[in-house]
Amino acid sequence: VKLRLRELRIAVRECRDEDERLRLKRRIAELTPLCREGRETAALLERYEYDITLHRVIIREHTNPDWPTRICFDEWGVWHPEANLDNNQNQRQSLRDALFAALTLHIFYRNADIVDFAMETQISNLLQSLFETDGARFYKTPTFYVMKLLKEHLGQRVIPLLPDDVDDRLDAVATAGEDGSRITVSLVNIDLLEEKTVRLALPQGDWRVEKADVLTALLTSVDNMEKAIAAPDGADYKTGVDLVLRQFMEVLQKLGLE
């Protein structure tokens, strides 16, 4: 996203068509919060990796191997700035939270030899919870659907993936059942602008696809919608509405609808 923003800003400087300049500026306004959020969540993911590596060393150097010591995360999850005491630490979830949850679970799966369990922060109505309620209404969050998607790895052993080409915007984990007859692969595409094509080369055998699920979102961020809802009549309100409309139009175009 950061690279895309740089390209858009250059395009704005070079563009002579006012309508096109306005379109590019709106795209920049749409992507800027995603870039900020991406930096924040990337730092948290790096911290999880660091904590596991650090405690591996501590366990190896300072514990008795006859009495195995394991790592357990009592909480994990992302805390966004909009969650505060005034709103009971509630935050609306979007694709950003689904991506974070999937990447976090991938970290834990890859370190399953020493990470025994990792508990998601809350179950309902708080931070990156699995469920939200609004009066009599009850709904599942993006984090819930990530949990549902990746639960297929449970009870299986992690197996190595050997990529022919390295793509730092793709994250993958593979596991196999006890007898090796069932393989589960989960892929996370963190590129918000491009779809990815992946081919898998499996060991020789009679393999078939049992099922394939895709988790995505119509809108990459709820920030623009929140801006439109919260802002009074005026420039901020119009900007928020315009950005939401643009996102919906792009979705319809991808679906081949007018």
Side-chain angles (χ1 to χ4, degrees):
V1 174
K2 186 176 181 180
L3 178 61
R4 181 59 175 155
L5 281 170
R6 187 181 300 120
E7 294 173 347
L8 288 170
R9 291 186 180 111
I10 293 173
V12 168
R13 289 198 300 268
E14 297 177 349
C15 183
R16 296 292 178 266
D17 183 275
E18 286 302 319
D19 290 338
E20 179 64 11
R21 281 172 59 87
L22 179 60
R23 188 190 71 81
L24 293 171
K25 287 181 177 180
R26 287 173 176 171
R27 187 61 170 159
I28 290 173
E30 181 180 308
L31 291 177
T32 297
L34 297 178
C35 185
R36 183 189 66 248
E37 294 162 4
R39 290 196 300 269
E40 294 169 351
T41 54
L44 186 52
L45 290 167
E46 290 175 1
R47 182 70 196 190
Y48 289 161
E49 291 269 21
Y50 171 80
D51 283 342
I52 294 173
T53 301
L54 173 65
H55 287 85
R56 277 186 184 276
V57 175
I58 294 173
I59 289 170
R60 183 175 66 247
E61 294 182 355
H62 299 286
T63 65
N64 188 338
D66 295 333
W67 299 89
T69 301
R70 314 286 289 173
I71 296 174
C72 299
F73 282 77
D74 62 342
E75 281 191 358
W76 67 266
V78 63
W79 188 333
H80 295 296
E82 63 264 28
N84 53 56
L85 294 178
D86 293 336
N87 62 7
N88 296 318
Q89 296 178 344
N90 182 266
Q91 59 193 29
R92 295 182 183 274
Q93 295 189 45
S94 65
L95 183 60
R96 62 178 181 180
D97 304 277
L99 291 171
F100 176 83
L103 292 170
T104 301
L105 290 175
H106 273 193
I107 290 173
F108 295 148
Y109 282 138
R110 280 194 289 266
N111 292 278
D113 61 306
I114 197 168
V115 176
D116 252 11
F117 65 79
M119 296 186 292
E120 206 272 343
T121 305
Q122 303 293 342
I123 190 71
S124 179
N125 288 347
L126 187 64
L127 301 179
Q128 193 174 357
S129 58
L130 303 183
F131 307 99
E132 295 288 343
T133 62
D134 180 13
R137 296 186 297 174
F138 175 91
Y139 59 93
K140 302 163 185 173
T141 68
T143 301
F144 167 86
Y145 288 103
V146 170
M147 293 280 197
K148 181 180 179 182
L149 189 69
L150 298 190
K151 69 180 178 61
E152 301 296 333
H153 288 298
L154 294 177
Q156 303 193 141
R157 70 181 188 278
V158 178
I159 57 176
L161 285 173
L162 303 176
D164 290 333
D165 187 23
V166 177
D167 187 336
D168 59 3
R169 296 182 182 181
L170 271 180
D171 195 72
V173 164
T175 59
E178 187 174 348
D179 61 359
S181 63
R182 183 175 186 267
I183 294 177
T184 301
V185 179
S186 56
L187 300 164
V188 182
N189 177 17
I190 64 172
D191 193 320
L192 296 180
L193 305 175
E194 294 184 15
E195 296 182 351
K196 302 289 184 179
T197 299
V198 177
R199 293 180 175 86
L200 294 175
L202 300 174
Q204 289 187 350
D206 186 18
W207 296 98
R208 62 181 178 84
V209 177
E210 186 176 286
K211 67 174 182 175
D213 297 320
V214 177
L215 178 61
T216 187
L218 290 179
L219 300 181
T220 56
S221 175
V222 296
D223 286 5
N224 299 327
M225 193 174 294
E226 293 290 344
K227 177 189 287 187
I229 293 173
D233 290 343
D236 287 343
Y237 178 81
K238 184 178 186 305
T239 299
V241 172
D242 286 346
L243 291 172
V244 173
L245 177 60
R246 175 181 175 79
Q247 287 181 313
F248 274 117
M249 294 301 290
E250 289 179 350
V251 170
L252 293 175
Q253 185 177 17
K254 289 180 180 179
L255 296 175
L257 303 174
E258 295 183 358

